[in-house]
Amino acid sequence: MRHSLTAIYANAELLEHHDRCASARTELLLEIQEAVLAMTERIDSLLQFGSNGRKNPFVHERVSLVVEKAVAAVKFHPDGRNVSITVGKLPPAEADIDAMNLESAIYNLLLNACQASARSTQVSEVKVHLAEVEERIYVTILDNGPGIPASVRRTLFDPFATAGKPEGTGLGLTLARRIAEEHGGSVCLEESNPGRTVFTLSLTKNRSFRIPDPNSGPSAEDIRETRIDAQTAVFRKLAQHQLLAHKK
């Protein structure tokens, strides 16, 4: 935040110098806009991370439309403007989704991929694929960046783990996984090597038809349901014991 505010203040001061040419003033304005965008994204991430649950309703929609919106949005971001983003053939898969939150999750994954590919020794490339397998939908995002260091992979999805990015909040992957879990899926790092890193976001088509994902742990809802089942079993045993004692 402080870095962005400093950039905005410094560039605003430079704009006061009337001896600067039009192109220089335009460049300063662009830098201010980028700093404001960066601050807005950080604030949005913090607000979303601190929120007490999902507020948007689930609606049956085509997931491909959400993917297309996320791709279009990231292309307007400064870190996505010079990246070649290729979208594979999108099947007309539909699911019960919170479109706004799901778009945010896919956007975060795409932005991370764009930032990683910018550090590639080749032309920056990001590829997006959408697949439909029985009751599950997969969004796969590949980049040709240098890969994720093994030392940070274990904490990659932890809150505020920036993976070496000085300007990051460390909440993008955390929020993406949380949103995917709300959709009955998860976000997983499939592979990461120099020149190829692959993330996959999964979700179930029907929220009432929950499929355990072998790559994700139990969700908060699953844990809560298990706890309730355990308590019910204990209370049933106590009731049976008291009934037997009363009969004696």
Side-chain angles (χ1 to χ4, degrees), residues 29 34 49 69 85 125 130 132 141 167 188 222 244:
L29 283 170
E34 290 178 4
F49 178 72
K69 286 182 180 179
I85 303 177
E125 291 182 337
L130 180 65
E132 182 180 10
I141 298 172
E167 300 302 319
C188 301
D222 293 332
L244 288 172

Side-chain angles (χ1 to χ4, degrees), residues 166-220:
E167 300 302 319
T169 60
L171 291 174
L173 288 175
T174 303
L175 292 172
R177 174 170 277 186
R178 177 197 288 182
I179 292 167
E181 288 174 348
E182 289 175 352
H183 288 76
S186 187
V187 174
C188 301
L189 173 63
E190 302 290 348
E191 63 175 288
S192 187
N193 297 294
R196 181 180 171 86
T197 293
V198 183
F199 278 92
T200 296
L201 180 150
S202 64
L203 64 147
T204 55
K205 292 181 184 179
N206 190 336
R207 292 189 66 237
S208 62
F209 188 81
R210 292 178 59 84
I211 303 174
D213 190 331
N215 295 318
S216 65
S219 65

Side-chain angles (χ1 to χ4, degrees), residues 7-176:
I8 293 169
Y9 185 83
N11 287 341
E13 281 192 329
L14 291 173
L15 283 172
E16 291 181 346
H17 299 170
H18 300 291
D19 57 338
R20 292 189 173 272
C21 64
S23 61
R25 295 173 70 84
T26 300
E27 188 175 341
L28 290 172
L29 283 170
L30 283 173
E31 289 180 2
I32 290 175
Q33 290 174 349
E34 290 178 4
V36 170
L37 176 62
M39 284 187 63
T40 303
E41 288 180 342
R42 292 189 188 100
I43 292 170
D44 286 345
S45 294
L46 289 168
L47 288 173
Q48 193 174 6
F49 178 72
S51 66
N52 294 322
R54 184 187 51 78
K55 296 179 175 61
N56 303 316
F58 275 82
V59 179
H60 199 74
E61 291 189 34
R62 285 177 60 178
V63 178
S64 59
L65 297 177
V66 178
V67 173
E68 289 171 346
K69 286 182 180 179
V71 171
V74 84
K75 285 182 177 179
F76 280 102
H77 192 283
D79 292 337
R81 289 173 188 160
N82 300 318
V83 177
S84 172
I85 303 177
T86 304
V87 181
K89 185 178 179 180
L90 300 176
E94 296 184 353
D96 297 333
I97 59 173
D98 176 342
M100 185 178 295
N101 274 354
L102 185 59
E103 180 185 338
S104 174
I106 297 171
Y107 175 88
N108 283 336
L109 294 173
L110 283 169
L111 184 58
N112 282 352
C114 288
Q115 291 168 342
S117 67
R119 302 195 301 272
S120 172
T121 56
Q122 309 295 323
V123 175
S124 300
E125 291 182 337
V126 171
K127 297 180 180 179
V128 186
H129 298 284
L130 180 65
E132 182 180 10
V133 181
E134 296 180 347
E135 290 297 320
R136 193 172 284 278
I137 296 172
Y138 298 91
V139 181
T140 303
I141 298 172
L142 306 85
D143 70 70
N144 66 338
I148 299 171
S151 59
V152 301
R153 292 181 193 178
R154 192 165 56 103
T155 58
L156 200 57
F157 293 93
D158 291 353
F160 309 109
T162 59
K165 293 192 294 183
E167 300 302 319
T169 60
L171 291 174
L173 288 175
T174 303
L175 292 172

